[in-house]
Amino acid sequence: MADLIQLARLRLDDSDRVGRKAAVLGEARHVGFRVPDGFAVPWQVFADVLDGAGDDPRAAVQRIRTAPLPPALRKELSAALDALGGVPVAVRSSGVEEDLAARSFAGQYDSVLKVVGVDAVIKALRQCWASAFSDHLAAYRSGVDTPAQVGVLIQAMVPATAAGVAFSANPVTGDRDETLVSAVTGLGDRLMAGESDADEWSVRDGTARLVSGPGKALTAAQAGEVAQLADRVAEQFGTPQDVEWAFSDGTLWLLQARPITTLADDPAPPAVEVPPGFHVRDPRSPAPRPRLESTVYLPVLSASARHLFAFTTGVALTATDIGGWVYLNSGPADAGSTRRIAERVAEGEPLALVERWESGWKPAYAARIGQLRQRDIRALPEPALAAHTEEVAAFFAEFHDVYFRLAGAAMFLSAQLGMLAQQYLDWPPGDLLPLRGGLAGAHMGAVIGLGDLARQAAADPVLRAELERDTAGALERLHSLNPHFAEAFETYLDEHGHRSPGFDLTEPTFAERPAVVLAMVTAQLDEHFDPEERRAALARRVNPLRAELERGLASRPATERQAFAAALAAAELSTPVRDEKSHLAVSVWALLRYAALEIGARLAAAGRLDRQEDIFHLPLDQALAALGNSADLHQEVRLGRARHQWALAHPGPRFYGTPTAGPAQDPDPDPSELPADVRHVRDVAGWTTRQMQMAPPQTPHTDGLGGLGAAAGRTTGLARIVRGPGDFGRVRKGDVLVCPETTAQWAVLFPSLAGLVADGGSLLSHPAILAREYGIPAVVATGNATAVLRDGDLVEVDGTAGTVRLNAFLTARRTEQRHG
């Protein structure tokens, strides 16, 4: 009896023989869709192998693993694989119950990719069969009395250059006119496993728009082609479809199709309610946040952001969710607030907060983080895990209150120094800024440690050669290549890797991405970071400015010199706090990520989630409650994910409402009659407001970009487009970093850079400050550098003039020399 059925012979009517997945693809291939060739193993073969195993799942799995297969099956498998050309194949479960309109069974059965040879195929075949007896599938099939019927589909692997999924209709709104496309470079299993940042496209009326992600996997035209494929599949099968696809050498392939099980019957977009007032989209939230993150972050931000202008304008910020995006809003400061601020300043509160950080808060919080990190959350019973997660979330709220109080204090101390420099010396803000900083703060440990690792690796010729040849491969063999380096690398990850790159729970920490860290080590093999050399170079740049400052102050009254010296000392004391508080904040955030993933892992093992990362699409209270009940969460996760995708595809405007006229002023008829301390606070607040409103100049050249010159000097280098930490490993010595913005966690890149260009930022922004400390020419606030420039472009950065020029002629030559 022939056990295998060629894919070309399968039709929808064969679903009860080979499973829905195989039958759908057979039908799609028959009507003309481009589907990889292959064959199916009917579920009856699975049943024959199980015959006599009884009802015990463990006995069934043991029989699947050890029972001999029908003698003819191996021969048929070998012949069928030869007919495919001996290429690697995908071995995918195809359950009879799978991909139905009511229940998708998505992710419930196993699949194995890149399988080569008949022995490996048989092993993968057994794995797919055994997945029918997993605990999570049993929970998913709860209430179904009939045994699982598992066919297996075996297809030639598509050597994908890009892959992903597409919804032919918006699964949240039910809008049949909008197609959503998710794409990653390489194989699509990286997308399903949450291992890669995806490009998210919205396609409507044939127009594709990138709404999120690095934009590296597809062009707009290709996204449109994928959308057309999804629409044609939906038309063929008579219902909106969730399809998997892949591009290979420019050819688009259909890999799977199933109905969208959560599609609303009555299409209606979510209501976007805009509260009264003026709302500005939060610059620290460049994308909508998934539900778990939003339920923690938004209340904390709203409660703590009121401290940001506590010593300057007195305006109290709050935060709200509008259409899935975080917006900041505020009303005018109440009359009399300046007098109250002046009293607090006179008592020395801003400086006292900074000093308290150094002597009390910082060591206490660091110790607390260390204790929480040492807790073995995998060993905690469910109630203790829930309590641990609540403790971490409460800690994050407590820490963020201190975080913003320090931010408000540092803002005042910095603005006070800038205002005095302008009053006493007529120095503009940019002239004084290079005096700030000194390559100090918590981030320096990670930067110096990376340089030390590079120094060790460079000293070992064998290890160095392996890193330069294949960093990923070297990671797998570190202990055999150099045990001492491997131990040092693990120590580095333990000390510096358990921080989130930003306030994004879905973003893996560096400890979860060792290959990225090792790639950053490789980038420094030829020139390791030397902190003393860099500090000496910084001193050579700063000392002439200090001398000029002293000459300018020499003619001023003694009281002014004293006031300026005190302001400079206070501002310098507050400078390291910027990165230190951020360092600890994202360390707490990483603890919350780890706790959430542990909850997700347990729920996925129980079959209540498809994968552990689905936990991010549940609100925190529901995720915690799930540890104490047995509710199925698939529908809730699909709703949360779909709402998130809708928000990605429908970003709101930058502003809602009309700006207020400005802070209410004290009712004094003549500011000159105000007490000196009140005038001082008003002057500092005015200086702050002017700097925040400073706009970059218009683009001065038609062959480049314009922005704010944030760090003086000129440089030329290859543009390296880096949208997030997942791209850190691509940066090489001498590159020009082109990015949306940076956080303190990006500091590890700066020793390798020749220059920096940022979409956002200001003279006081993080990338600007770090660029000045490292002596790297920088232009910020370009608006769209990451969209205009391409990876590998040769660019000329003028951090004095605030311009970025593309050297089109040299770009191709430089790229050829580098890669050829």
Side-chain angles (χ1 to χ4, degrees):
M1 180 183 71
D3 291 313
L4 308 185
I5 305 175
Q6 294 301 313
L7 186 62
R9 293 169 44 207
L10 291 175
R11 302 291 183 270
L12 271 180
D13 292 341
D14 294 312
S15 294
D16 60 349
R17 299 172 61 201
V18 295
R20 178 79 178 181
K21 182 186 299 178
V24 165
L25 289 179
E27 181 75 17
R29 193 175 191 274
H30 172 67
V31 298
F33 289 92
R34 187 178 288 109
V35 176
D37 197 9
F39 54 91
V41 182
W43 73 265
Q44 188 59 50
V45 179
F46 162 73
D48 291 344
V49 171
L50 276 179
D51 187 30
D55 297 328
D56 184 353
R58 288 174 297 181
V61 170
Q62 180 63 23
R63 187 170 182 84
I64 287 171
R65 290 174 176 169
T66 60
L69 299 181
L73 180 61
R74 180 185 180 90
K75 183 177 180 180
E76 287 194 51
L77 284 172
S78 181
L81 292 172
D82 288 342
L84 292 178
V87 298
V89 296
V91 181
R92 310 170 72 193
S93 302
S94 178
V96 172
E97 302 165 301
E98 205 173 1
D99 294 348
L100 299 176
R103 304 179 87 185
S104 72
F105 280 77
Q108 298 300 316
Y109 294 98
D110 281 1
S111 294
V112 186
L113 305 182
K114 301 180 182 178
V115 184
V116 178
V118 66
D119 290 332
V121 167
I122 290 174
K123 181 178 179 181
L125 185 67
R126 294 182 188 271
Q127 179 178 333
C128 291
W129 287 339
S131 67
F133 297 96
S134 66
D135 291 340
H136 64 81
L137 183 62
Y140 190 88
R141 299 184 77 247
S142 178
V144 180
D145 295 329
T146 58
Q149 298 173 331
V150 186
V152 176
L153 174 64
I154 300 174
Q155 290 176 282
M157 284 287 298
V158 173
T161 53
V165 299
F167 291 94
S168 67
N170 189 305
V172 174
T173 66
D175 186 351
R176 269 70 168 175
D177 294 326
E178 180 180 30
T179 301
L180 303 182
V181 177
S182 298
V184 296
T185 56
L187 294 175
D189 62 319
R190 296 168 57 234
L191 173 63
M192 310 306 176
E195 296 175 357
S196 180
D197 294 332
D199 295 341
E200 303 286 351
W201 293 84
S202 171
V203 184
R204 185 186 294 274
D205 297 329
T207 301
R209 178 170 61 90
L210 180 66
V211 296
S212 176
K216 297 185 298 184
L218 296 180
T219 65
Q222 289 174 320
E225 187 177 351
V226 172
Q228 290 178 2
L229 172 65
D231 293 342
R232 288 192 294 113
V233 173
E235 182 178 0
Q236 172 64 34
F237 293 104
T239 184
Q241 296 285 304
D242 166 4
V243 306
E244 296 180 21
W245 54 269
F247 268 107
S248 177
D249 293 330
T251 298
L252 179 60
W253 295 83
L254 174 64
L255 304 182
Q256 186 169 340
R258 54 180 170 238
I260 302 176
T261 58
T262 60
L263 197 63
D265 293 329
D266 182 18
V272 177
E273 299 181 2
V274 181
F278 180 61
H279 308 270
V280 181
R281 193 189 297 169
D282 178 20
R284 299 198 338 158
S285 300
R289 297 176 180 273
R291 283 204 286 180
L292 190 145
E293 184 175 303
S294 181
T295 55
V296 176
Y297 182 82
L298 192 63
V300 168
L301 178 62
S302 192
S304 56
R306 59 191 172 89
H307 298 305
L308 189 59
F309 301 111
F311 299 108
T312 51
T313 64
V315 168
L317 292 178
T318 56
T320 188
D321 181 298
I322 304 178
W325 294 77
V326 179
Y327 282 80
L328 302 176
N329 51 86
S330 66
D334 63 314
S337 63
T338 306
R339 291 181 179 274
R340 291 192 295 274
I341 293 172
E343 292 173 0
R344 298 169 67 189
V345 170
E347 294 171 357
E349 186 175 339
L351 183 57
L353 286 170
V354 173
E355 291 172 337
R356 183 179 176 186
W357 168 259
E358 187 64 34
S359 62
W361 277 327
K362 181 173 70 171
Y365 285 143
R368 191 168 164 188
I369 290 168
Q371 292 169 358
L372 287 169
R373 190 178 293 156
Q374 292 302 313
R375 190 175 290 170
D376 184 3
I377 61 175
R378 293 184 179 180
L380 295 177
E382 274 71 14
L385 177 59
H388 168 82
T389 307
E390 290 178 314
E391 179 183 356
V392 172
F395 183 17
F396 181 75
E398 173 191 335
F399 184 89
H400 244 63
D401 188 76
V402 172
Y403 183 103
F404 274 97
R405 290 173 68 185
L406 288 165
M411 179 181 290
F412 172 83
L413 296 175
S414 177
Q416 176 180 247
L417 180 62
M419 184 269 298
L420 292 180
Q422 194 167 30
Q423 285 186 354
Y424 297 167
L425 303 170
D426 198 26
W427 276 26
D431 286 10
L432 187 66
L433 289 174
L435 294 177
R436 302 287 306 282
L439 296 174
H443 72 279
M444 288 304 298
V447 176
I448 293 172
L450 206 63
D452 289 341
L453 288 174
R455 190 174 294 105
Q456 291 183 47
D460 181 340
V462 174
L463 176 59
R464 176 186 178 120
E466 285 298 309
L467 289 174
E468 291 178 329
R469 185 182 67 84
D470 180 10
T471 303
L475 178 64
E476 298 178 358
R477 306 191 308 278
L478 272 190
H479 281 279
S480 60
L481 289 170
N482 188 321
H484 179 72
F485 177 86
E487 182 178 351
F489 184 72
E490 291 171 357
T491 299
Y492 179 89
L493 291 178
D494 186 60
E495 292 180 354
H496 304 293
H498 296 289
R499 293 177 290 156
S500 58
F503 294 105
D504 180 353
L505 280 183
T506 67
E507 187 75 53
T509 64
F510 285 124
E512 298 173 270
R513 285 173 160 171
V516 171
V517 178
L518 195 59
M520 289 190 287
V521 172
T522 305
Q524 291 193 43
L525 288 176
D526 290 325
E527 188 174 339
H528 333 306
F529 178 72
D530 185 332
E532 297 309 316
E533 178 184 319
R534 290 293 185 119
R535 289 188 178 112
L538 178 63
R540 289 193 295 271
R541 294 192 300 272
V542 168
N543 287 342
L545 292 175
R546 289 189 177 274
E548 182 181 349
L549 178 65
E550 291 174 1
R551 288 193 298 271
L553 289 171
S555 60
R556 307 297 299 185
T559 54
E560 292 184 359
R561 294 199 302 272
Q562 293 169 359
F564 192 90
L568 179 59
E572 288 181 330
L573 185 65
S574 71
T575 296
V577 177
R578 175 201 68 217
D579 283 337
E580 288 173 347
K581 62 183 175 60
S582 178
H583 172 86
L584 294 185
V586 295
S587 297
V588 180
W589 202 234
L591 290 171
L592 186 59
R593 170 179 166 80
Y594 293 159
L597 286 175
E598 177 60 24
I599 295 173
R602 297 188 188 193
L603 296 177
R608 297 164 63 195
L609 299 177
D610 288 337
R611 57 188 68 85
Q612 68 178 150
E613 291 82 4
D614 287 347
I615 195 70
F616 296 126
H617 292 293
L618 298 176
L620 179 63
D621 58 354
Q622 187 174 15
L624 294 175
L627 289 172
N629 61 43
S630 57
D632 186 277
L633 300 168
H634 289 86
Q635 179 66 18
E636 193 67 26
V637 166
R638 284 193 288 268
L639 179 62
R641 181 185 289 111
R643 286 177 175 172
H644 184 64
Q645 290 175 333
W646 184 90
L648 282 169
H650 297 83
R654 186 179 176 190
F655 305 108
Y656 279 111
T658 304
T660 57
Q665 297 294 336
D666 298 307
D668 300 274
D670 185 354
S672 64
E673 297 178 4
L674 293 172
D677 58 344
V678 175
R679 287 202 310 273
H680 180 71
V681 169
R682 286 170 64 103
D683 289 342
V684 171
W687 189 93
T688 302
T689 301
R690 289 192 297 274
Q691 303 317 306
M692 293 179 63
Q693 295 174 345
M694 181 182 293
Q698 296 296 315
T699 303
H701 300 285
T702 58
D703 59 346
L705 297 166
L708 285 174
R714 290 184 179 181
T715 190
T716 300
L718 291 180
R720 190 60 56 217
I721 311 298
V722 176
R723 301 178 188 276
D727 294 328
F728 281 13
R730 299 172 47 248
V731 174
R732 291 294 178 263
K733 186 68 180 177
D735 282 349
V736 172
L737 175 66
V738 182
C739 60
E741 184 73 84
T742 71
T743 65
Q745 285 60 58
W746 292 53
V748 291
L749 293 179
F750 279 72
S752 300
L753 302 180
L756 179 143
V757 179
D759 291 344
S762 67
L763 292 178
L764 299 175
S765 64
H766 186 271
I769 293 171
L770 273 186
R772 290 190 292 268
E773 290 183 354
Y774 283 85
I776 299 168
V779 178
V780 301
T782 62
N784 60 350
T786 55
V788 173
L789 300 176
R790 292 191 174 275
D791 212 65
D793 283 347
L794 187 66
V795 293
E796 301 168 351
V797 180
D798 189 331
T800 305
T803 61
V804 183
R805 290 183 175 180
L806 173 64
N807 192 320
F809 173 74
L810 292 179
T811 292
R813 292 287 302 279
R814 185 78 169 268
T815 303
E816 288 174 3
Q817 293 170 1
R818 182 166 180 171
H819 299 290

